[in-house]
Amino acid sequence: MFMGIEYSKDSEESYRQLADQLQLLLNGEKNRIANLSNASALLSNFLERTNWTGFYLLEDNELVLGPFQGLPACIRIPIGRGVCGTAAKNRETLVVEDVNAFEGHIACDSASQSEIVIPLVKNDELIGVLDVDSPEIGRFSEADRKGMEQFVEVLLRHL
């Protein structure tokens, strides 16, 4: 049975605790969908002031909606389009302070104002992206970027 923990007030330490918790949660499970589902649920419950947390997976050179927490979302995103497609194409994390200022932003949820997208790359192969949206402009910090990249590193061991 899963039990929540009280995270540290220190952002770096709390993300380390989150990564450790993810490792314990996924340990021994090989099913990709199950692991992505639990990862999105864990991260969604950890993060405050967010409205969408989930994954898009690479399929036939486009990103296809995977496990997520939040309102229904866009199903397919071409590589190179929007925040997710751009992060996937460049294989680098994108932190967008104001999605309305991002040229080509794809608005799946009109409440989203800022976004962070972390590519999932394993053995030099793009698997997909982790996408997190917030209804607040400027929600995601450098600490969030580092912490979510650490989270993804743990996740990739189980995909």
Side-chain angles (χ1 to χ4, degrees):
M1 179 164 120
F2 180 78
M3 297 189 59
I5 66 169
E6 188 171 323
Y7 294 100
S8 169
K9 300 282 188 224
D10 175 69
S11 182
E12 186 176 321
E13 175 63 16
S14 66
Y15 271 111
R16 188 196 60 71
Q17 291 172 316
L18 178 70
D20 289 347
Q21 194 173 27
L22 180 65
Q23 176 62 40
L24 291 170
L25 183 62
L26 303 185
N27 196 30
E29 181 53 60
K30 302 289 185 208
N31 185 280
R32 176 186 263 186
I33 297 301
N35 288 341
L36 290 168
S37 296
N38 272 335
S40 67
L42 180 64
L43 187 58
S44 179
N45 282 288
F46 170 80
L47 293 170
E48 297 176 344
R49 305 177 339 268
T50 60
N51 59 313
W52 203 90
T53 303
F55 298 95
Y56 281 91
L57 303 173
L58 185 65
E59 185 178 299
D60 297 328
N61 204 36
E62 64 183 347
L63 297 171
V64 179
L65 183 64
F68 70 93
Q69 305 287 308
L71 292 176
C74 303
I75 295 174
R76 296 180 182 273
I77 299 174
I79 298 296
R81 295 224 23 237
V83 180
C84 288
T86 301
K89 178 183 177 187
N90 298 334
R91 294 185 179 200
E92 63 183 35
T93 298
L94 272 180
V95 179
V96 179
E97 188 169 310
D98 180 355
V99 295
N100 298 305
F102 188 90
E103 187 175 334
H105 173 252
I106 300 169
C108 294
D109 181 346
S110 63
S112 295
Q113 298 297 309
S114 62
E115 186 170 3
I116 182 169
V117 178
I118 299 97
L120 306 175
V121 179
K122 184 173 184 175
N123 300 326
D124 205 35
E125 182 179 329
L126 179 69
I127 296 171
V129 298
L130 166 61
D131 179 23
V132 182
D133 294 1
S134 172
E136 294 179 13
I137 290 177
R139 160 62 181 88
F140 302 106
S141 66
E142 180 65 13
D144 291 313
R145 182 190 65 77
K146 288 179 182 177
M148 285 190 233
E149 287 176 345
Q150 181 181 22
F151 184 86
V152 163
E153 284 178 28
V154 172
L155 176 62
L156 286 170
R157 293 184 213 140
H158 301 277
L159 297 181

